[in-house]
């Protein structure tokens, strides 16, 4: 049993004699809940961008990922990432099955007990593979993804989290600055998405008008962005692991970078179509949030404006990489997360300030270029390249090992692509009506048949205001 007492001010005194402020514990636990809501937020965001016949499985995958990673984190994930006796690359099984993870000071901060830090970091571990597996959109079997998420969390996320945030990790010791997950969360997941896209290959109809569809539910895109933006206050602000001025500063720059990123992306899109795209705004806001993640506890508000502008610009243009190199990254995960994470890491190396980091009264860093610490940029680049390379290679290895294990191959058959993953793999639907007519009709006859169907059927039977061509 854990024996705890309280002092006269109401602070918790652990069995080890450490005093914990309950306000710090409360803020970290509240931030845990905020980050949790981001995970289905990713599912809704992805779902809205796809065709309606593939809408439900993305939301399902967000819930499946929470379940798998929660078990994996309990089983050995937390120990592999945050055991104090870790190697520079990965931890050991000191805390296997959360043994003795109780009221001792956490490795992340002495201001919160280990059990609080454990559940907070679980949410980071859970959202990361969910970001990555969005790359399977419209062409994957669902069953093998359970095994993939478990293996990927163990072999990719845990080692990168260890070397970034564990006090024994090589990047941490070298002086890398990553406040809330630029490399462990965003670069690793975005690069894994690239590896998944290359492994799965192109969707049926790639390069034709059949895949030139608009997002089937823009409301879902907005809803997902709301969940993500809302939760990111806990993602970045909670990473201070204390209710203090540094957490407040992290929340301020988080909101500011998201706002500027959203506006920037929307303005870039407006120059092409002369339309004010809410999907563009949401995409830019998320890219701004991704970029500010590593620097949120190190940079001030003026720098956050640049983070948002650069992320909205670079990530917007990075979406063209899939056309240049001809890979089918359906949801632009590599452009938004991997490229956005690299932008954030580089800018952190330039604009990190010792005065901002020291707002918690504890942290001491040499800062970045603003503080004349010019070697910081090199450290940030080394961390970024290491995370990108390791994630790509290890993800590819995992995918090809699964490819040759009976029952674990990810790629679905052509019939599943035509029917939609929701019907073929789940037998459930996001909507009452899901049209697949254009998938079954030769391309030269699609336009004529669509026109005939639209004339013969009541619009309500076709899913409301959309015709058959739009529901694909």
């Amino acid at each position: 049993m854990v024996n705890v007492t309280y002092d006269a001010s109401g602070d918790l005194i652990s069995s080890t004699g450490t005093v914990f402020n309950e306000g710090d514990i409360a803020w970290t636990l509240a931030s845990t809940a905020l980050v949790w809501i981001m995970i289905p937020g990713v599912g809704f965001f992805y779902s809205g961008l796809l065709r309606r016949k593939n809408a439900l499985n993305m939301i399902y995958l967000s819930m499946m990922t929470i379940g798998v990673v929660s078990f994996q984190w309990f089983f050995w994930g937390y120990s592999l990432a945050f055991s104090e006796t870790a190697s520079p690359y990965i931890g050991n099984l000191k805390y296997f099955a959360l043994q003795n993870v109780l009221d001792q000071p956490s490795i992340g901060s002495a201001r919160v007990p280990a059990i609080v830090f454990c559940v907070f970091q679980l949410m980071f571990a859970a959202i990361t593979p969910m970001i990555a597996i969005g790359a399977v959109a419209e062409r994957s079997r669902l069953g093998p993804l359970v095994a993939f998420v478990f293996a990927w969390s163990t072999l990719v996320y845990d080692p990168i989290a260890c070397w970034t945030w564990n006090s024994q990790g090589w990047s941490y010791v070298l002086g890398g600055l990553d406040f809330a997950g630029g490399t462990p969360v965003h670069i690793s997941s975005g690069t894994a998405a690239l590896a998944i896209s290359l492994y799965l290959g192109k969707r049926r109809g790639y390069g034709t008008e059949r895949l030139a569809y608009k997002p089937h539910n823009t409301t879902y895109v907005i809803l997902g962005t709301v969940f993500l933006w809302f939760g990111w206050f806990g993602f970045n602000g909670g990473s201070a692991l204390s209710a203090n001025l540094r957490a407040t500063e992290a929340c301020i720059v988080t909101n500011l970078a998201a706002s500027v990123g959203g506006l920037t992306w929307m303005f870039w899109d407006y120059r092409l179509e002369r339309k004010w795209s809410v999907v563009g705004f949401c995409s830019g806001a998320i890219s701004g949030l991704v970029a500010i993640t590593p620097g949120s506890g190190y940079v001030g508000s003026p720098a956050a404006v640049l983070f948002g502008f650069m992320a909205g610009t670079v990530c917007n243009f990075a979406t063209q990489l899939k056309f240049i190199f001809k890979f089918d990254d359906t949801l632009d995960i590599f452009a938004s997360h991997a490229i956005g994470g690299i932008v954030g890491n580089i800018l952190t190396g330039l604009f990190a300030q010792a005065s901002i980091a020291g707002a918690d009264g504890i942290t001491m860093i040499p800062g970045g270029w603003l503080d004349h610490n010019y070697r910081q940029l090199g450290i940030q680049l080394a961390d970024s390249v290491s995370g990108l390379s390791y994630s790509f290679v290890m993800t590819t290895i995992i995918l090809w090992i699964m490819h040759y294990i009976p029952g674990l191959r990810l790629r679905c058959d052509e019939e599943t692509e035509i029917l939609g993953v929701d019907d073929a793999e789940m037998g459930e639907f996001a909507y009452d009506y899901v049209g697949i007519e254009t998938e079954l009709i030769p391309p030269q006859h699609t336009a004529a048949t669509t026109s005939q169907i639209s004339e013969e059927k009541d619009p309500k039977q076709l899913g409301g205001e959309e015709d058959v061509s739009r529901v694909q």
Side-chain angles (χ1 to χ4, degrees):
M1 293 193 56
V2 179
N3 295 312
V4 298
T5 57
Y6 298 88
D7 63 15
S9 66
D11 288 342
L12 186 149
I13 304 175
S14 72
S15 59
T16 63
T18 307
V19 179
F20 298 111
N21 181 277
E22 292 194 318
D24 294 339
I25 294 175
W27 168 240
T28 306
L29 291 177
S31 296
T32 300
L34 288 172
V35 181
W36 189 96
I37 203 67
M38 293 173 67
I39 304 170
V42 174
F44 276 101
F45 183 83
Y46 286 170
S47 174
L49 292 171
L50 298 173
R51 291 175 282 188
R52 65 174 60 199
K53 66 179 182 178
N54 294 303
L56 185 62
N57 69 86
M58 277 295 155
I59 302 173
Y60 152 74
L61 287 177
S62 70
M63 305 310 296
M64 178 275 289
T65 302
I66 293 173
V68 171
V69 178
S70 292
F71 173 76
Q72 188 269 354
W73 198 246
F74 150 80
F75 190 68
W76 59 25
Y78 176 74
S79 189
L80 292 175
F82 291 110
S83 54
E84 294 90 349
T85 51
S87 75
Y89 299 96
I90 193 169
N92 51 38
L93 298 182
K94 177 181 179 180
Y95 296 126
F96 177 78
L98 297 187
Q99 295 179 81
N100 301 315
V101 181
L102 296 168
D103 62 337
Q104 68 271 30
S106 73
I107 193 172
S109 172
R111 299 186 67 90
V112 294
I115 193 67
V116 174
F117 179 72
C118 173
V119 71
F120 177 66
Q121 283 295 332
L122 160 61
M123 301 308 152
F124 288 70
I127 195 173
T128 307
M130 179 55 211
I131 295 171
I133 61 176
V136 308
E138 303 196 332
R139 59 195 190 278
S140 173
R141 299 166 60 219
L142 299 183
L145 284 171
V146 175
F148 175 81
V149 167
F150 189 94
W152 192 89
S153 297
T154 301
L155 298 174
V156 180
Y157 178 81
D158 292 344
I160 298 178
C162 178
W163 83 49
T164 303
W165 289 320
N166 193 309
S167 56
Q168 305 299 315
W170 69 262
S171 180
Y172 186 98
V173 172
L174 195 61
L177 300 178
D178 192 336
F179 190 66
T183 300
V185 176
H186 298 297
I187 292 178
S188 71
S189 63
T191 308
L194 174 62
I196 293 169
S197 299
L198 293 173
Y199 164 77
L200 289 176
K202 300 176 178 66
R203 288 168 293 165
R204 181 177 183 271
Y206 180 83
T208 69
E209 291 187 2
R210 180 171 287 151
L211 293 187
Y213 57 85
K214 291 185 177 181
H216 91 276
N217 192 328
T218 307
T219 303
Y220 272 13
V221 176
I222 298 172
L223 180 64
T225 304
V226 168
F227 283 175
L228 286 165
W229 196 329
F230 178 69
W232 229 294
F233 288 104
F235 197 89
N236 289 350
S239 292
L241 298 174
S242 180
N244 55 32
L245 290 178
R246 193 182 188 195
T248 305
E249 182 67 26
C251 289
I252 290 172
V253 298
T254 296
N255 187 68
L256 186 56
S259 301
V260 175
L263 293 171
T264 301
W265 190 302
M266 183 177 66
F267 289 145
W268 281 118
D269 281 359
Y270 181 81
R271 88 188 193 282
L272 298 175
E273 298 185 11
R274 293 296 186 266
K275 302 289 185 182
W276 300 106
S277 171
V278 68
V279 173
F281 180 86
C282 290
S283 299
I286 290 173
S287 69
L289 290 164
V290 168
I292 197 62
T293 294
S296 54
Y298 301 112
V299 304
S301 300
V305 175
L306 182 61
F307 273 71
F309 173 77
M310 291 301 297
T313 300
V314 175
C315 294
N316 182 294
F317 286 93
T319 60
Q320 299 305 305
L321 291 174
K322 66 181 181 182
F323 301 113
I324 296 172
F325 295 103
K326 301 191 182 307
F327 59 89
D328 191 6
D329 184 6
T330 311
L331 299 169
D332 291 318
I333 302 169
F334 178 75
S336 295
H337 291 273
I339 301 300
I342 293 171
V343 168
N345 276 354
I346 292 173
L347 292 177
T348 299
L350 297 176
F351 296 101
Q353 294 178 263
S355 58
I356 299 296
D360 59 4
I362 301 172
T363 304
M364 298 177 64
I365 63 168
W369 279 29
L370 273 186
D371 288 350
H372 309 292
N373 179 32
Y374 301 110
R375 68 188 294 267
Q376 191 63 50
L377 181 59
I379 297 173
Q380 299 299 109
L381 286 171
D383 181 76
S384 299
V385 172
S386 298
L388 186 148
S389 304
Y390 180 80
S391 178
F392 183 83
V393 171
M394 188 57 71
T395 302
T396 302
I397 291 172
I398 294 170
L399 290 168
W400 281 103
I401 289 176
M402 291 178 60
H403 183 87
Y404 291 105
I405 297 176
L408 291 184
R409 185 174 298 187
L410 285 186
R411 179 75 196 216
C412 68
D413 56 29
E414 186 177 27
E415 181 181 358
T416 298
E417 281 198 71
I418 294 172
L419 291 176
V421 176
D422 291 355
D423 187 7
E425 290 281 316
M426 302 177 69
E428 299 171 330
F429 306 93
Y431 306 95
D432 291 337
Y433 178 84
V434 177
I436 61 170
E437 285 85 349
T438 61
E439 294 282 0
L440 303 175
I441 301 171
Q444 62 268 30
H445 301 302
T446 298
T449 306
T450 297
S451 175
Q452 180 181 354
I453 292 173
S454 298
E455 293 174 0
E456 293 178 354
K457 290 190 176 182
D458 184 83
K460 293 181 179 178
Q461 293 178 312
L462 297 177
E465 71 280 9
E466 295 181 310
D467 61 23
V468 173
S469 64
R470 286 292 302 279
V471 301
Q472 301 306 309

